[in-house]
Amino acid sequence: MSESTAASSESLSSATGSSVPSKRAWDMIIRPKDGWLDLRLGELWSYRDLLWMFVRRDFVSVYKQTVLGPIWFFVQPLLTTLVFMVVFSGIAQIPTGGLPPMLFYLAGTTAWNYFAACLSKTSSTFTANAAIFGKVYFPRLIVPLSVVTSNIIQFVIQFALFLCFLVYYGATGTAVQPQWGLILLLTPVLLLMMGLLGLGLGIIVSSLTTKYRDMQFLVTFGVQLLMYGTPVIYALGSIPDKYRLLVSANPMTPIIECFRGIYLGSGDWSAGTLIYAGVFTLVTALIGMVLFHRVEKTFMDTV
């Protein structure tokens, strides 16, 4: 019901004394978004219950009808780490900065997996949810936000596995030097940066995919290629100088190096590189949300 119609009904009701429902009978009025920065982020809080429903759905459905179930959360990073140990540390002899290969690779994959999952799973938001988007209104950004939130649960499980190995190696006298003060201070910051960066890039790809389906193929192998441009399987300090600037431009580089640095005591990062990654993340997230809100009005005509 439009405002003018509602106002007319209210006037008619007053004039005639009838019981015609007025505008105030409605508890929500949906208006189109006009400006580029009309993001209405505050509206997301009103739909927090729906957000948690999507989070539960995403988490439960991941390994539903599988034999091992939640055990896959541990199997995947363990197998990945073991393969990295054999191929890159054993065969290729890539140095790990004096750290045990198990801890070195597990730290890298734990952080990288969270970012990669956020990017990959949010990049298909419009195409994968076109059916529900076309039937009922709710803030569309709820869907990619639920993906990022549910991935935090997966990250916490794999992070607990990493901590178990960290405690084991620490108890056996391995030279790892966790910096507990920085861990308490920076762990939430790094987690937020990885989630926002994955969300920003993912919804940018999702917005472009509504017109250019090539993007979904690019994401499939692009994330794998990006991992080799990030110090997950090597230390930043071990690569030649002519490639270091290029790798350092990757915003995930200071995040991974900082993660290793505060937990293992070996990482090439500084406050300046972390601020660069933070600014890059905020700009990417803002561009992603602006583009996402512009596309959500018209994507049903192109999907």
Side-chain angles (χ1 to χ4, degrees):
M1 178 183 292
S2 67
E3 290 186 58
S4 59
T5 306
S8 301
S9 299
E10 188 176 16
S11 302
L12 180 62
S13 176
S14 301
T16 61
S18 64
S19 59
V20 177
S22 69
K23 170 196 170 187
R24 293 186 178 85
W26 300 93
D27 56 10
M28 182 178 69
I29 299 175
I30 303 172
R31 295 187 177 88
K33 299 174 182 177
D34 298 323
W36 281 87
L37 297 179
D38 187 16
L39 302 179
R40 301 183 188 178
L41 298 181
E43 192 180 26
L44 297 174
W45 180 251
S46 304
Y47 287 84
R48 58 188 180 278
D49 292 337
L50 181 63
L51 173 67
W52 295 121
M53 287 178 59
F54 280 140
V55 170
R56 184 179 182 279
R57 180 203 63 176
D58 295 338
F59 180 72
V60 172
S61 63
V62 172
Y63 296 116
K64 193 174 183 180
Q65 296 181 336
T66 60
V67 176
L68 297 181
I71 297 177
W72 280 111
F73 287 120
F74 300 98
V75 172
Q76 286 183 329
L78 273 179
L79 287 180
T80 303
T81 301
L82 290 175
V83 171
F84 284 175
M85 288 174 62
V86 172
V87 176
F88 298 110
S89 180
I91 299 175
Q93 298 288 312
I94 296 177
T96 57
L99 296 171
M102 172 62 82
L103 282 181
F104 181 86
Y105 293 125
L106 198 55
T109 55
T110 299
W112 174 259
N113 284 346
Y114 176 62
F115 163 75
C118 292
L119 170 55
S120 301
K121 294 181 181 178
T122 56
S123 64
S124 60
T125 299
F126 281 123
T127 53
N129 297 278
I132 189 173
F133 283 174
K135 292 179 180 177
V136 62
Y137 172 79
F138 59 89
R140 307 311 191 209
L141 197 57
I142 285 284
V143 174
L145 279 178
S146 71
V147 172
V148 173
T149 307
S150 63
N151 284 334
I152 291 179
I153 302 173
Q154 181 176 341
F155 170 81
V156 169
I157 294 173
Q158 296 182 359
F159 181 68
L161 178 66
F162 165 69
L163 287 182
C164 290
F165 277 97
L166 179 61
V167 171
Y168 168 77
Y169 277 96
T172 55
T174 304
V176 290
Q177 300 174 342
Q179 303 175 43
W180 298 111
L182 290 177
I183 287 174
L184 293 176
L185 179 66
L186 292 180
T187 298
V189 176
L190 296 177
L191 186 61
L192 180 63
M193 290 171 65
M194 289 186 288
L196 271 181
L197 186 59
L199 172 69
L201 293 174
I203 57 180
I204 289 175
V205 173
S206 178
S207 302
L208 297 177
T209 302
T210 57
K211 287 188 176 179
Y212 310 104
R213 296 301 176 92
D214 309 72
M215 298 300 295
Q216 62 187 2
F217 299 104
L218 177 63
V219 169
T220 303
F221 69 90
V223 173
Q224 296 177 355
L225 294 180
L226 185 59
M227 188 193 74
Y228 293 106
T230 308
V232 175
I233 57 176
Y234 53 84
L236 180 62
S238 65
I239 62 176
D241 292 339
K242 61 180 180 181
Y243 297 121
R244 184 169 301 182
L245 182 60
L246 181 62
V247 176
S248 298
N250 179 353
M252 277 300 294
T253 294
I255 296 176
I256 297 289
E257 287 290 313
C258 180
F259 189 83
R260 277 205 193 98
I262 61 177
Y263 280 95
L264 305 180
S266 178
D268 190 356
W269 68 282
S270 66
T273 58
L274 207 56
I275 291 174
Y276 159 74
V279 172
F280 191 101
T281 298
L282 290 176
V283 172
T284 303
L286 180 61
I287 293 174
M289 285 189 284
V290 170
L291 195 58
F292 188 88
H293 282 288
R294 296 302 296 180
V295 171
E296 70 172 315
K297 295 193 299 184
T298 58
F299 81 98
M300 288 302 295
D301 298 329
T302 55
V303 170

